[in-house]
Structures are given as C-alpha cells and as structure tokens.
Amino acid sequence: MKRNIIVGQSGGPTAAINSSLAGVYRTAIDRGAKKVYGMLHGVQGLLNEHYLDLSDYIKTDLDVELLKRTPAAFLGSCRFKLPGIHEDKAVYEKLFAILDKLDIEAFIYIGGNDSMDTIKKLSDYAILTGHSTRFIGCPKTIDNDLALTDHTPGYGSAAKYIGTSMKEIIRDSFCLEYPQGLVTIVEVMGRNAGWLTGAAALSKCEDCDGPDMIYLPEVVFDPEDFKKKVKQLLTKKPSVVVAVSEGIRTADGRYVCELGNTSDFVDAFGHKQLTGTASYLASFISKELGAKTRAIEFSTLQRAGSHIASRVDILEAYSVGGAAVKAADEGDSGMMVTLQRTSEDPYQCQTAVKNVHKIANDEKCVPREWITKDGTYVTDEFVAYVKPLIQGDVSPVMVDGIPRHLYTPKELYKK
Ligand code: F6P
C-alpha cells in the first residue's frame, strides 16, 4: 500500500468486531499504509469529518491484544442508510471529497448486511466517477445471516455465550419447586434468522438436557400450540425452559413481541426494535396455566460477552480484517471477505472474497431441514455446524479481578 486507509464499524456490535479492527490495522501497517484512519460512528460520522488516526491509540502489541478482547465497537457504530447513488449526489460528493482530502486508497467497512449496502453503493459510485479508492466489506454480525459466507465473525462468541448461559439457567431452574411448575422463557436476538436462537441447543450435553423447546423465526409460531406443549411438559417435569427468537411471528405475520407492550422504535433500514417476546409469552403462560414464569432477555449481554469469547471466532475475525486489507491492496473493490469451510474434521476455514452486490441487504436464514419437523428444536446437523465455531477460549487480561479493555477514545462521545 502506498497511501492511507480508513476503516469503520457499523451495525450491532459483537465480541469480535474489534478483533477485525485489529486485523485491519496490523495488516495495513505491515503492507505499508502510511496512516490508518478510523471513522467515528461509521460513515455517518465520516460525513461530519469525525475520524481519528488509529496509531494514536494502538501503540503496542499489548494494545492489539487488548483490542481483540474488547467488546462493542471501539470506533463507535451507526445504522445509517446511504441514499441511492442517483438520489442524492451531494452526499457522495461530500464523502469522496473527504476521502480525497485524507488520501484514502482503501475503505474497509466492518458490518452486516445493511453495512454491505454502504460498500455496494460507494464502490458503484467510485466506478461511475472513475474514483480510485477501493471499497471492501468485512463481515460481522451475531445474527450470522450474511449470504455467501459459511458464517460471520461475532456469531461464534455469541453462540458460545448463549449455550453457556442456557446451561446455567437450566441448572438454576431445577433448584426450587413450585406447585404449578416453573416455566422459563429465554429470548435471543437474531432478528429474522434463527442461527443464534438455535445455539441454545449447545447447552445439551452429557451433564445437561438442554432447553425443552427452541423456537426459530423461520417457523410460524402458534401461541395455542405452544401453551399445549408447555402444559404437557409440566405434567412430566417441574421446570420447563424454552428458548425463543426475538423474531418469531404468528401466522398473520405479526411479531409475537408486538402482541405485548413493545417498543415502536424503527431504525434507518426500517427494522423494528424486537424486544419483549419472552416477557409476553411468560405472562401468557402464567395467565393461562397458572405456573410461575420467568422471562429472560439476553439482550446486549449476548453480543458483549467477551469474557467468554470463542478463540476460533476471535482469530477468524482478526483474519478477515487482514484479508480485507489484502484484497484492497491487490486491487479488489465492491467485494466482501467471506469464510469458506474447507474441512469439517478437523474444522478448517479459509478466507475468500465475494461480490458484495450478491450479499448486501440479503438475509440468510436457517435451512428448514435443520429445524425439526414440529418446529420446536434444531437438528444434529445444526449443532454440528455451530460447534466448531465456539471452540477455544481467549483469556481476558484481568486487572483487579475485572477484564481490561482497550479504552474507547473520548472523541467518540463528542457531539
Ligand atoms: O443486527 C444485530 C442485532 O443484534 C439483531 O439481532 C438485533 O435485533 C439488533 O441488532 C438489535 O440492535 P439494537 O442494539 O440497535 O437494538
């Protein structure tokens, strides 16, 4: 590389997105980039010229190691939808003028399907105007719903958190007995894809039976049938534990969370905030069956739990960051780095690059054949797919009994 690069983080954070940032930074420096800039709050911040020089923050090898272990987005994130390239030229002129001013050779964006929409539009605009900056997407999302990649960095660590926490919840749920039984409903993120909720099945092992049922958004949810199944289970055991996706819907297409008191918040991409599925179902079961119920929403914890991150995930996240820089350096643009599984046993994955136009805005869901016929569990194939992704640990750097993170720059909070 002869000039500078700029990197941004976008969409929902993960426990691994900063490892990709570390991979981008290290590889860019190793390949001769003069400066590695970081956009503050993604492209939305860049439009306001909010950026920093990453070398002011990553000074030592220890900083790189801490960054790999720091959850959330070090640079801040955004959910910002760029207008179409023919809709509002002024936005593009402004952005490309900033890129020119910073002498940017490569623009790397770490994000999910909405963020790949940004890479698609910027690379299209560069072609249209003959601009030399190259635009590469770097995959990230706990939802694991990006097309053309075996899986996405961030998913493995979130899946490990979910499998582990489910096991702890199940263990706890059998301690106290209630006359009408205890029903625990655990809500998992993932929007319209059930990859993350299915990871609840990882808790099933020789010392744990796993959850009683798992409901994915790929299958229509019937509240009455759910009630019937819970009632049957309560005749056999004192405690029932169910994992539900935040995105399950009834036959009329309504999200279950919309049946209760929910948030009306909608983001720039038109995505409704999905929250309250577990609490709605817990009060439904409590009213209908008289059981004691508990609603648990993993919420932010499932994507910020870096103390239990998967080593495979953190290392892969680092390598996709490096592969994004390499792709840009070798002349690619309008592409996203993907992970291709080359061997099941032993598990092996390598990076490739694929056309971002085939990835942006698409949602890859769990194949129906990886969900049991009655729609209340995932199959062994699903578990075999996810298991390699949660392997190994990354020990946090503990200071005074608490994990140390790389401190997020103060500029991030400036208005
Ligand atoms: O896109 C990832 C995701 O974690 C979804 O699973 C979830 O619906 C959404 O982000 C929540 O995002 P926010 O923190 O903006 O509410």
Side-chain angles (χ1 to χ4, degrees), residues 12 79 141-143 189-191 246 273 303:
R79 294 197 193 275
T141 168
I142 60 165
D143 297 352
M189 279 185 176
R191 208 167 271 156
E246 62 175 8
Q273 185 185 2
R303 67 184 190 202

